[in-house]
C-alpha cells in the first residue's frame, strides 16, 4: 500500500525536496494533496507531474490561474487558508508534511493533529511560538509528530527503541554559520550576500540561512527540542561542529552517548520523516569517514552571537517570550536582508522587544496572535527610528 501524502507548502525548499523523495520512491508514496501560497506556476507544474487529488492555493488571487490549468486534468482546486484546513479532513490522507514557513503554519498544523494525521513537521515557528498548544493537540488526538529538521530527526532516531529510558541531555550541533570566529567589529561590516553563503547547507531559504548566521536558528531548535522531546532547558545544549556530519547527540544515564551521523543533505531527514518507521534506500553515497577525517567541536560564541543566549532566555522564562523572540527576529532579519539595518543590530532589536512587549505567563491562542502583532509593530518602529 502506498502512503498518501499531503504536502503543505510544496513550492518551498523542503516541499520541492519532498517531491524529489517521492519521485525516487514511487512504489512507496503517492501525492494526495499539494498546497502553496506563492509561485502558482511551480504549483501547477508539480500538480501536472504528481497528479494529486486536490490542490489548494493559499493565496486566493492565484485561484483562476491554477483552476484553469488543472481542471481539465480532473484535479480539484480550492483557494484560501480555510480550504487548507478543510482538506485535512480527507480520509485518504495518511500523512501530512508541513513545510509552510512562518507562524501561518500553526492553524494547519493544529487541524492536521485534530484530524489524527501523523505530521512530518518542517515548520519551526509553530513549535517556537506555541509549542504547548501543539504538544497538547498531538497528545489529545493520540497522533505523532515526526521532526524533519536534521537535528531533531537525529535526536528522534537516537531515541528510537529507548522506551522510557530517561534522557540525561541532548546536544544540538551547529555549523556556526559563515561568520564563525568573527568578532563584534567584523560582524558590523558583513552584508546580506555574505550571510546567504552558508558553508554547508546550500538549499535552505533566505530567512533560515540568516538565522543560521546569527545562531538564532539554533536557539529556535533548542525551543523546538524542548517541546518535541519534553526536556527542560537545563537538559538541552548546543555545540558548534563545523563539518555538520554529527547531526545531534543524546546522553543517557549510564554515560552512553548516541549520535546520528551522515552526509549533510536535507533529502535524508525528509525521506525518513515520510518513511518512518521504515528505512528506504538512500539516494546519496554513504558517509565516508576516511574522507571526513576530522570531526571538530567547540563552544558557541554567545558573546558575539547574542541571539543564542536570548533564545535560551526565552525558553527558560516561557510564556509569550518565545513568540516575542520569533516576531522581533523576523522583522529584524527582513530589515537586514533589505539593507535597512546592519547584521549586529538584529540581536539588539530582538532584545529590546523582549524587554518592552508585555509578558504573559499563560498565553491563549488569542494572546499569541496579539503578541505577534504588537511585537512586529514595535520592531518595525525600532528599525525606522534608528534609520532617521
Ligand atoms: Mg536544523
Amino acid at each position: 500500500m502506498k502512503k498518501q501524502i499531503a504536502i503543505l507548502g510544496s513550492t518551498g525548499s523542503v516541499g520541492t525536496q519532498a517531491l524529489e523523495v517521492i519521485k525516487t520512491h514511487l512504489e512507496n508514496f503517492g501525492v494526495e494533496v499539494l498546497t502553496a501560497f506563492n509561485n502558482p506556476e511551480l504549483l501547477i507544474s508539480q500538480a501536472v507531474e504528481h497528479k494529486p487529488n486536490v490542490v489548494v492555493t493559499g493565496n486566493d488571487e492565484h485561484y483562476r490561474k491554477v483552476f484553469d490549468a488543472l481542471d481539465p486534468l480532473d484535479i480539484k482546486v480550492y483557494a484560501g487558508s480555510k480550504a487548507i484546513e478543510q482538506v485535512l479532513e480527507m480520509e485518504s490522507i495518511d500523512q501530512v508534511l508541513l513545510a509552510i514557513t512562518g507562524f501561518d503554519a500553526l492553524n494547519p498544523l493544529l487541524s492536521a493533529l485534530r484530524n489524527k494525521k501523523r505530521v512530518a513537521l518542517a515548520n519551526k515557528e509553530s513549535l517556537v511560538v506555541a509549542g504547548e498548544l501543539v504538544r497538547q493537540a498531538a497528545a489529545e488526538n493520540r497522533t505523532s509528530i515526526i521532526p524533519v529538521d536534521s537535528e531533531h530527526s537525529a535526536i528522534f532516531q537516537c531515541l528510537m527503541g529507548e522506551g522510557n529510558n530517561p534522557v540525561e541531555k541532548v546536544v544540538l550541533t551547529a555549523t556556526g554559520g559563515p561568520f564563525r570566529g568573527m568578532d563584534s567589529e567584523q560582524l558590523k561590516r558583513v552584508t546580506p550576500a555574505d550571510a546567504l553563503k552558508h558553508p554547508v547547507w546550500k538549499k535552505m531559504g533566505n530567512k533560515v540561512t540568516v538565522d543560521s548566521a546569527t545562531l538564532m536558528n539554533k536557539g529556535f531548535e533548542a525551543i523546538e527540542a524542548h517541546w518535541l522531546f519534553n526536556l527542560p532547558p537545563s537538559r538541552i545544549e548546543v555545540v558548534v561542529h563545523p563539518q555538520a556530519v554529527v547531526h545531534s547527540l543524546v546522553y543517557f544515564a549510564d554515560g552512553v552517548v548516541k549520535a546520528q551521523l551522515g552526509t549533510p543533505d536535507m533529502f535524508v531527514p525528509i525521506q525518513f520523516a515520510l518513511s518512518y518507521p521504515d528505512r528506504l534506500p538512500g539516494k546519496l553515497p554513504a558517509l565516508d569517514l576516511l574522507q571526513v577525517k576530522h570531526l571538530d567541536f567547540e563552544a558557541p560564541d554567545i558573546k558575539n552571537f547574542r541571539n543564542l543566549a536570548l533564545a535560551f532566555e526565552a525558553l527558560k522564562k516561557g510564556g509569550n517570550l518565545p513568540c516575542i523572540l520569533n516576531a522581533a527576529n523576523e522583522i529584524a532579519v527582513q530589515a537586514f536582508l533589505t539593507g535597512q539595518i546592519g547584521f549586529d543590530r538584529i540581536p539588539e532589536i530582538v532584545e529590546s522587544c523582549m524587554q518592552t512587549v508585555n509578558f504573559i505567563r499563560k498565553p491563549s491562542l488569542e494572546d499569541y496572535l496579539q503578541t505577534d502583532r504588537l511585537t512586529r509593530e514595535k520592531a518595525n518602529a525600532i528599525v525606522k527610528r534608528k534609520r532617521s
Side-chain angles (χ1 to χ4, degrees):
M1 277 282 280
K2 282 191 188 188
K3 214 185 250 184
Q4 293 298 332
I5 313 284
I7 303 182
L8 312 190
S10 66
T11 57
S13 162
V14 171
T16 49
Q17 291 180 79
L19 286 170
E20 281 298 313
V21 169
I22 290 173
K23 221 156 81 177
T24 313
H25 298 289
L26 287 174
E27 67 292 358
N28 300 91
F29 304 115
V31 179
E32 185 66 7
V33 175
L34 291 176
T35 85
F37 195 88
N38 296 316
N39 208 341
E41 294 81 12
L42 181 56
L43 178 61
I44 290 166
S45 74
Q46 289 176 336
V48 168
E49 182 178 359
H50 292 274
K51 311 215 167 28
N53 234 321
V54 175
V55 164
V56 185
T57 161
N59 186 343
D60 303 2
E61 286 169 25
H62 302 150
Y63 176 71
R64 253 296 125 202
K65 181 173 197 166
V66 179
F67 179 86
D68 288 346
L70 299 180
D71 189 53
L73 302 176
D74 207 21
I75 296 171
K76 295 180 207 72
V77 178
Y78 306 113
S81 49
K82 275 277 158 287
I84 297 179
E85 289 169 42
Q86 278 160 3
V87 300
L88 290 168
E89 292 170 16
M90 287 164 58
E91 289 279 339
S92 51
I93 299 171
D94 297 314
Q95 184 166 332
V96 174
L97 170 66
L98 209 129
I100 297 171
T101 49
F103 190 36
D104 292 342
L106 182 62
N107 275 325
L109 172 59
L110 294 175
S111 297
L113 295 172
R114 281 187 206 115
N115 284 296
K116 305 192 188 304
K117 306 295 184 194
R118 176 186 279 172
V119 178
L121 183 62
N123 173 270
K124 285 175 190 279
E125 291 82 353
S126 52
L127 277 180
V128 169
V129 173
E132 188 151 27
L133 297 179
V134 174
R135 191 164 71 181
Q136 242 172 35
E140 279 168 15
N141 294 288
R142 293 163 196 274
T143 184
S144 46
I145 296 174
I146 319 294
V148 171
D149 207 347
S150 61
E151 294 78 2
H152 305 88
S153 175
I155 294 169
F156 185 84
Q157 292 179 61
C158 291
L159 291 173
M160 280 167 70
E162 290 293 341
N164 292 325
N165 286 335
V167 167
E168 204 60 24
K169 67 174 181 184
V170 299
V171 175
L172 296 161
T173 52
T175 61
F179 307 142
R180 183 172 61 92
M182 285 192 183
D183 61 26
S184 59
E185 278 312 304
Q186 291 169 301
L187 288 176
K188 277 184 190 153
R189 292 190 295 271
V190 301
T191 65
D194 299 331
L196 293 177
K197 283 185 215 123
H198 195 278
V200 182
W201 298 97
K202 303 291 177 204
K203 277 180 272 182
M204 300 192 300
N206 285 355
K207 164 74 168 41
V208 51
T209 305
V210 175
D211 284 340
S212 296
T214 66
L215 293 193
M216 183 59 97
N217 184 51
K218 214 48 57 177
F220 286 160
E221 289 180 356
I223 301 175
E224 289 176 76
H226 164 69
W227 294 115
L228 283 170
F229 306 112
N230 197 14
L231 292 167
S234 58
R235 294 189 190 275
I236 303 170
E237 286 177 14
V238 171
V239 162
V240 171
H241 166 46
Q243 291 91 352
V245 164
V246 178
H247 295 139
S248 280
L249 314 92
V250 180
Y251 286 61
F252 294 94
D254 54 1
V256 165
V257 184
K258 281 167 90 174
Q260 186 254 329
L261 284 72
T263 307
D265 192 301
M266 281 306 289
F267 194 90
V268 182
I270 293 170
Q271 173 171 307
F272 185 71
L274 296 181
S275 70
Y276 171 82
D278 301 328
R279 289 192 189 276
L280 297 175
K283 203 182 73 165
L284 302 166
L287 182 71
D288 182 351
L289 285 175
L290 298 181
Q291 215 163 33
V292 176
K293 285 197 174 70
H294 304 280
L295 296 176
D296 298 313
F297 301 95
E298 61 192 47
D301 174 5
I302 53 170
K303 210 177 117 253
N304 289 313
F305 295 85
R306 299 198 30 251
N307 275 347
L308 185 59
L310 293 171
F312 266 91
E313 187 189 329
L315 169 59
K316 282 177 194 148
K317 289 195 186 144
N320 64 341
L321 213 50
C323 177
I324 298 170
L325 177 90
N326 173 66
N329 179 64
E330 204 170 307
I331 297 298
V333 168
Q334 218 25 261
F336 167 67
L337 280 172
T338 51
Q340 300 178 72
I341 61 166
F343 185 80
D344 57 315
R345 299 274 322 286
I346 298 173
E348 252 179 67
I349 292 172
V350 173
E351 182 167 38
S352 162
C353 288
M354 285 172 70
Q355 286 166 348
T356 52
V357 177
N358 261 351
F359 179 70
I360 304 170
R361 187 163 299 283
K362 280 226 160 281
S364 63
L365 183 54
E366 204 37 60
D367 292 328
Y368 283 124
L369 296 172
Q370 167 100 332
T371 300
D372 184 73
R373 195 174 49 75
L374 286 175
T375 307
R376 282 166 201 270
E377 276 170 21
K378 180 145 268 170
N380 270 318
I382 302 172
V383 169
K384 289 216 181 75
R385 183 164 8 114
K386 291 279 171 91
R387 255 194 323 158
S388 53

